[in-house]
Amino acid sequence: MAAPLQFAYRTQKEIGVTDAAPVYVPVPGFVKPEGNLRCCVYSPCGRFLAWASNERVCVVDASVGHVLATLVVSNVFEVAFSPRGTYLSTWERPAKDENGDATKNLKIWRTTEDISGNGDQQPIGRFVQKSQTGWNLQYTSDEKYCARLVTNEVQFYSSDDLSTVWNKLRVEGVTDFAIAPGQSYNVAVFVPERKGQPAAVRVFNVPQFSSPISQKTFFKGDKVQLNWNSLGTSLIVLAQTDVDKTNKSYYGETTLYLLSANGSLDARITLDKEGPIHDVSWSPNGKEFGVIYGYMPAKTTIFNHRAVASHSFPLGPRNTIIFSPTGRFALVAGFGNLAGQIDVYDLEKDYRKICTIESGNPSVCQWSPDSRYIMTATTSPRLRVDNGVKLWHVGGGIMYHEDMVELYNVSWRPCLPENLPRGDPLNPVPIPHDSALKYLGTVKTPSKPVGAYRPPGARGMSTPLHFRREDEGGAAHVMSNGTSNIGPNGFGRPRRQVPGADLLENSTRSIPGAGPVQAPGAAGDEGLSKTALKNKKKRNNKKAKEAEGQNGAGGLAPPTQEHGPGSGNEGRSPERRGNQQNHQRHHRSRSRHNAQGSNNPGRNRSNTHQNGQPSVALPQVNTSQPPADSLLSPGSQNPASKKLRGLQKKIRAIEDLEMRLAGGEKLEDTQMKKIATKAAVLKELEGIDKEPHAS
């Protein structure tokens, strides 16, 4: 019988180790430490469990729970193992000694043959490491070499001798590196953009550092994630900028690149949906990877090792993809500010969807080493309520549940592939623990979703196309950056569009009554210099002024008022003329007020009636002859021309209503009455067209 699965957890007050399926009991030989506990972690091989407190670090045999070694070192915040568990690294908070020099807070210990419980064990290496990000050494898979990043270089050490540097990789401006797993000693380094130079990712073979075996340069790369596949033959580079210059995303721009270790491939991965890259993950087989990208609802696609898309899952609110350790299954989930749904797919059965798990609000999601269970946990400080651990079967059923107070972290115990049980993870379905049955009894049956509010007139109808999400058949989300959007389904309408008016082919605005404006270059000006254009503009303005002087009263300004001999202003001083004009204005305003208050429905705005007596209007002689087409010109001030344009506008509005009516839209009574007046408007329009010819 194979050893049961195991997981360890750390809460506010204790550290616990639990044997999972099929027993679900605490490990008998493990004594739970209490107090201020900083961290706990398994070794990658699964042999050891280490935890740290304020005073010491303990190494435990993960199988039985017995303490193997105690390291007397204080203020340890981070603990990590080498790939085979031979070496243990501890990181303390940076401090200074009596001379003001930084203390060596990164220490390397041996955890195998020399383990003893006497507490006087000494570290085999010490370093100064100020940053907690990327604090640990990186080892090759066989633990022969290890490396750490310093200013402008990556230093390599022989793992059993950390006192001297074995080799150096000198790269100006390097900020990150990653050693490839597998048998090949490859290392990738990243150099961000600097002084107009593009960012670069270079791959070297250890210890041949003279020239890179593969490299890729690109812009828009302030920081990257370097993800090697399990074979160490391909590298995914997820580049990200701190600021998106297009203002489409608050979190910057993301791009994805793929490099092969032998230099045969270095290309950008083309994604067919606009938006950020949420997650990227390699399959354990090292031959395919999954990417979640695009604005919500996001798209999930599986690519092969040559960056060719092989399958795409349905769109949905998802931002996490994790492959199972055996590579058969993949879970696509939406965590963080999403609903916490987990879709499980069988990649060996034509990407068939197995189930959807409603996990709540987890902050931890991990596959078990045998790919049979999925662990979800809600941890602090992200959420301080509803903390606990849930174990789900890959078929979708819950197997185990345990509530905890301020759970900080939880993880499965790693297991070597040769020690995993054989068989189909889907069948047979294991028996749930009693805690799972109790949990199901407390979960409320999800009620039918109410959905968005709809007014009574829209109830019982399908959702309009422009209100649907993209995964429901609606239009794709487009970031407009402040410009107006008109989607392919017709949703959206530009501002300043007059109903019934013809659409403008360009957005050039003109002054009402003025002549048409020509765009620069429309009259053959594209070959002229700035001085020539300026001189041409002066000549045109001069010609326009001369033409205005010849036309006399023509133009936009109103005609000047001529005062004849009977005007009564001859020989008067400017003050008396001004007083009489003020008196006339006051009399006109008073006559308007009286007209509004009288029983006469009409309003008399003319000056033909003053003091109750009609005045004789002097005939005005028009010295300029208007052109024949002045009635139809846009700049004409003729009343007939204004009336003609008004009638044409009514006809266009009526035709627009007729088109809407023919399209099945329900119109109001006033709109139907307006359509009925079309014949009268056309008749009036024909009468106006005949007037110029009759005159």
Side-chain angles (χ1 to χ4, degrees):
M1 180 179 177
L5 298 174
Q6 186 183 106
F7 65 88
Y9 61 89
R10 178 174 66 95
T11 64
Q12 182 185 19
K13 297 182 179 180
E14 64 181 13
I15 292 177
V17 181
T18 302
D19 284 334
V23 292
Y24 299 106
V25 294
V27 175
F30 181 75
V31 178
K32 294 182 179 180
E34 297 181 356
N36 187 6
L37 306 172
R38 300 285 175 77
C39 59
C40 70
V41 63
Y42 281 105
S43 63
C45 61
R47 293 169 55 193
F48 307 113
L49 172 68
W51 55 268
S53 65
N54 286 336
E55 299 83 13
R56 65 187 187 277
V57 175
C58 290
V59 181
V60 179
D61 186 343
S63 299
V64 294
H66 297 161
V67 176
L68 299 178
T70 300
L71 308 176
V72 181
V73 54
S74 59
N75 295 325
V76 173
F77 283 81
E78 297 285 353
V79 176
F81 286 93
S82 60
R84 297 185 177 182
T86 307
Y87 304 100
L88 175 69
S89 304
T90 61
W91 182 84
E92 307 164 26
R93 179 172 291 178
K96 294 184 179 181
D97 56 14
E98 298 176 355
N99 299 327
D101 299 329
T103 59
K104 296 183 177 181
N105 57 331
L106 173 58
K107 299 176 182 178
I108 313 299
W109 313 76
R110 191 181 297 273
T111 58
T112 52
E113 291 83 1
D114 296 335
I115 285 182
S116 60
N118 52 17
D120 56 356
Q121 188 174 353
Q122 296 298 319
I124 62 175
R126 301 169 186 260
F127 303 96
V128 176
Q129 179 65 37
K130 295 182 180 180
S131 175
Q132 190 173 2
T133 303
W135 64 272
N136 193 19
L137 302 179
Q138 293 191 28
Y139 290 85
T140 58
S141 297
D142 57 1
E143 295 185 350
K144 185 177 181 180
Y145 302 109
C146 60
R148 64 186 298 260
L149 179 66
V150 296
T151 304
N152 295 331
E153 66 182 20
V154 180
Q155 296 180 349
F156 286 83
Y157 298 85
S158 179
S159 298
D160 55 358
D161 183 13
L162 300 179
S163 58
T164 58
V165 178
W166 173 71
N167 210 331
K168 295 180 181 180
L169 172 57
R170 180 75 182 183
V171 180
E172 190 73 22
V174 60
T175 59
D176 196 6
F177 79 105
I179 295 180
Q183 302 300 322
S184 61
Y185 295 156
N186 294 330
V187 58
V189 296
F190 168 68
V191 180
E193 296 182 48
R194 182 182 179 186
K195 296 181 180 179
Q197 297 296 321
V201 172
R202 302 185 180 96
V203 179
F204 296 87
N205 184 262
V206 181
Q208 301 171 2
F209 298 147
S210 58
S211 62
I213 58 178
S214 179
Q215 63 178 343
K216 180 67 177 177
T217 59
F218 50 88
F219 287 98
K220 299 181 180 179
D222 297 330
K223 54 186 177 181
V224 297
Q225 295 179 20
L226 304 174
N227 299 323
W228 285 98
N229 65 347
S230 59
L231 305 176
T233 57
S234 297
L235 173 68
I236 290 178
V237 180
L238 177 59
Q240 184 176 359
T241 60
D242 296 329
V243 178
D244 184 2
K245 295 182 179 180
T246 62
N247 293 329
K248 292 184 178 181
S249 174
Y250 180 78
Y251 302 99
E253 297 180 80
T254 52
T255 49
L256 202 61
Y257 303 92
L258 179 64
L259 287 78
S260 61
N262 56 9
S264 61
L265 177 66
D266 56 337
R268 177 177 176 176
I269 301 175
T270 303
L271 304 176
D272 56 357
K273 193 175 192 301
E274 185 182 7
I277 300 173
H278 304 285
D279 194 16
V280 57
S281 176
W282 277 104
S283 172
N285 58 25
K287 299 179 181 179
E288 58 184 359
F289 60 92
V291 185
I292 301 180
Y293 57 96
Y295 295 109
M296 292 296 167
K299 186 174 183 179
T300 305
T301 303
I302 304 296
F303 296 85
N304 62 12
H305 66 286
R306 303 292 295 181
V308 178
S310 57
H311 183 77
S312 294
F313 296 109
L315 300 178
R318 304 290 184 264
N319 59 6
T320 304
I321 179 170
I322 307 175
F323 289 88
S324 65
T326 59
R328 175 179 174 180
F329 306 106
L331 66 84
V332 181
F335 298 140
N337 59 350
L338 302 179
Q341 294 180 331
I342 302 175
D343 297 330
V344 183
Y345 295 92
D346 192 342
L347 305 184
E348 296 180 358
K349 302 293 184 181
D350 297 328
Y351 302 94
R352 178 178 61 90
K353 183 177 179 180
I354 299 175
C355 63
T356 298
I357 299 174
E358 300 288 344
S359 62
N361 298 304
S363 49
V364 175
C365 182
Q366 297 178 0
W367 282 97
S368 64
D370 59 355
S371 301
R372 193 181 298 266
Y373 301 95
I374 300 172
M375 173 194 291
T376 61
T378 303
T379 59
S380 296
R382 181 180 177 270
L383 286 176
R384 298 188 181 275
V385 296
D386 298 332
N387 286 187
V389 178
K390 300 184 183 70
L391 301 183
W392 310 82
H393 185 250
V394 69
I398 186 170
M399 297 288 108
Y400 178 77
H401 173 260
E402 182 179 359
D403 288 324
M404 300 178 184
V405 178
E406 289 199 29
L407 174 66
Y408 289 116
N409 69 290
V410 60
S411 62
W412 287 105
R413 176 190 178 187
C415 187
L416 298 178
E418 55 268 19
N419 297 333
L420 296 176
R422 305 296 178 181
D424 186 6
L426 291 173
N427 296 304
V429 178
I431 300 175
H433 188 254
D434 294 340
S435 61
L437 301 178
K438 184 179 179 180
Y439 170 76
L440 292 176
T442 59
V443 175
K444 297 181 180 179
T445 304
S447 59
K448 184 179 179 181
V450 179
Y453 170 77
R454 290 191 177 187
R459 294 174 184 173
M461 303 170 61
S462 61
T463 305
L465 188 61
H466 51 263
F467 288 129
R468 295 183 185 178
R469 292 191 324 205
E470 187 176 355
D471 55 342
E472 296 174 349
H477 175 76
V478 178
M479 292 297 293
S480 61
N481 194 19
T483 59
S484 59
N485 279 336
I486 301 180
N489 52 18
F491 181 66
R493 182 177 180 179
R495 299 177 64 187
R496 306 186 63 83
Q497 177 178 336
V498 180
D502 295 334
L503 295 177
L504 296 177
E505 295 182 0
N506 52 36
S507 58
T508 304
R509 299 176 60 184
S510 60
I511 302 175
V517 179
Q518 289 186 351
D525 296 343
E526 60 274 3
L528 300 179
S529 63
K530 291 184 178 180
T531 306
L533 288 173
K534 187 175 181 180
N535 294 335
K536 184 177 180 180
K537 186 177 180 181
K538 289 182 178 179
R539 290 194 298 269
N540 293 338
N541 292 339
K542 186 176 181 181
K543 292 179 181 179
K545 290 182 179 179
E546 292 177 356
E548 183 179 356
Q550 294 176 1
N551 292 336
L556 295 178
T560 57
Q561 184 176 1
E562 299 290 343
H563 298 281
S567 61
N569 286 337
E570 299 82 14
R572 294 181 182 270
S573 64
E575 291 82 3
R576 298 189 64 183
R577 285 199 298 267
N579 292 337
Q580 183 165 348
Q581 290 173 2
N582 293 336
H583 174 73
Q584 290 177 356
R585 282 197 296 269
H586 177 69
H587 178 74
R588 284 198 298 270
S589 63
R590 187 171 55 192
S591 63
R592 280 197 207 101
H593 179 71
N594 294 337
Q596 292 175 359
S598 63
N599 296 328
N600 187 7
R603 293 179 62 188
N604 186 5
R605 293 181 179 269
S606 65
N607 295 331
T608 56
H609 292 76
Q610 295 182 3
N611 299 329
Q613 300 295 330
S615 62
V616 180
L618 296 177
Q620 295 182 0
V621 179
N622 190 2
T623 60
S624 61
Q625 182 67 24
D629 58 346
S630 62
L631 184 63
L632 300 178
S633 62
S636 176
Q637 299 297 320
N638 195 323
S641 176
K642 292 183 179 180
K643 187 173 183 180
L644 177 62
R645 290 197 297 271
L647 293 175
Q648 290 175 345
K649 184 176 179 181
K650 287 184 180 180
I651 290 297
R652 288 195 296 267
I654 292 174
E655 290 176 351
D656 181 64
L657 292 175
E658 289 177 344
M659 293 295 293
R660 292 165 57 184
L661 181 63
E665 184 176 349
K666 185 178 179 181
L667 302 179
E668 298 185 7
D669 295 340
T670 56
Q671 294 173 326
M672 296 300 297
K673 291 179 180 179
K674 188 172 184 179
I675 293 176
T677 62
K678 182 177 181 181
V681 175
L682 288 174
K683 186 176 180 181
E684 188 176 358
L685 186 61
E686 292 176 358
I688 293 180
D689 291 338
K690 293 178 181 179
E691 286 180 3
H693 302 289
S695 60

